[in-house]
Amino acid sequence: MNPNVLNFEGNSPKEEAKAKLAANPDIMFEELQTIAIRREDADFWLKFASEWGGALYLLDEKNFKQFEREEIDPQAFEFARRTYRLGLITLSALYDKLKAWLDSNPQEDYRLNMNVLECYFLPSYLDDYGRAYAPGKKQGQAYVEAIRQAFGEDGALEQKAEALQALVHEYIEHLHVYAKQ
């Protein structure tokens, strides 16, 4: 894991994010932390990734229709589109990793090595999923808390959260530039 990914010192978080992404856009896929997914929770995680991925797909469709009806401006449309699609890609990859692990008949918990995008998307998606799907609320909240604890292990939770948000927003906003590097 790379502890320097969210080490922002000096300039504003937005400027630091730009500099880090300009130097290496693949930083978005660097591992930031690890959490354990208990084997007995695997079905919850598969259901969550599948159903919330479907919700993101529907939100992307709704976003497109709003854009067609000129209810949102092109910049807001593009940012939302990229966010929904990156979130969907993140959940699809998570589903695939968990399914392969579960199919191997594991005896131990799954160690989820969370990259920048997973650290950004998963806590809020789990929280939203718990509000939309009451039976999953308790499990979702427990994992949100586990992610927060792992994220703030060194006591710099607020600074790391601010850096994470700046990094992901910069990446989403200028994805077309970073994809060409």
Side-chain angles (χ1 to χ4, degrees):
M1 291 189 225
N2 186 345
N4 294 321
V5 171
L6 298 179
N7 186 9
F8 285 21
E9 296 177 10
N11 296 325
S12 72
K14 186 172 180 72
E15 293 304 314
E16 288 283 333
K18 283 181 182 181
K20 285 186 183 269
L21 286 165
N24 179 17
D26 289 339
I27 198 170
M28 300 304 291
F29 307 102
E30 294 271 345
E31 293 175 6
L32 293 183
Q33 67 188 37
T34 301
I35 64 164
I37 296 177
R38 296 186 332 225
R39 188 183 185 312
E40 58 268 22
D41 291 339
D43 289 338
F44 162 79
W45 277 89
L46 291 173
K47 183 176 177 71
F48 155 68
S50 175
E51 291 182 358
W52 211 248
L56 291 174
Y57 176 81
L58 293 175
L59 288 169
D60 188 32
E61 289 294 312
K62 179 182 176 188
N63 181 53
F64 181 70
K65 289 177 184 171
Q66 288 176 319
F67 177 68
E68 283 185 324
R69 292 189 302 258
E70 298 180 359
E71 295 173 359
I72 56 175
D73 65 70
Q75 187 175 0
F77 161 73
E78 190 61 34
F79 189 85
R81 182 175 74 101
R82 291 174 182 179
T83 302
Y84 294 141
R85 291 181 180 184
L86 273 175
L88 181 55
I89 290 166
T90 300
L91 287 176
S92 294
L94 175 63
Y95 182 92
D96 291 345
K97 288 188 281 191
L98 289 172
K99 184 72 170 125
W101 165 73
L102 195 56
D103 288 346
S104 73
N105 197 22
Q107 301 304 312
E108 297 178 4
D109 293 344
Y110 182 75
R111 306 291 301 165
L112 176 60
N113 298 318
M114 298 176 67
N115 66 32
V116 172
L117 293 172
E118 289 166 330
C119 287
Y120 180 79
F121 287 124
L122 291 182
S124 61
Y125 289 173
L126 283 164
D127 188 53
D128 289 345
Y129 182 71
R131 281 191 253 132
Y133 179 67
K137 184 173 187 162
K138 187 176 177 182
Q139 282 176 302
Q141 284 303 102
Y143 281 104
V144 168
E145 187 56 34
I147 293 167
R148 282 190 185 131
Q149 285 179 356
F151 197 67
E153 279 181 340
D154 61 2
L157 181 62
E158 288 182 29
Q159 293 88 348
K160 285 171 70 176
E162 183 180 17
L164 179 67
Q165 182 171 348
L167 193 61
V168 174
H169 281 228
E170 173 64 21
Y171 184 73
I172 291 169
E173 190 173 339
H174 297 99
L175 184 61
H176 57 290
V177 174
Y178 300 124
K180 293 179 184 176
Q181 285 183 309

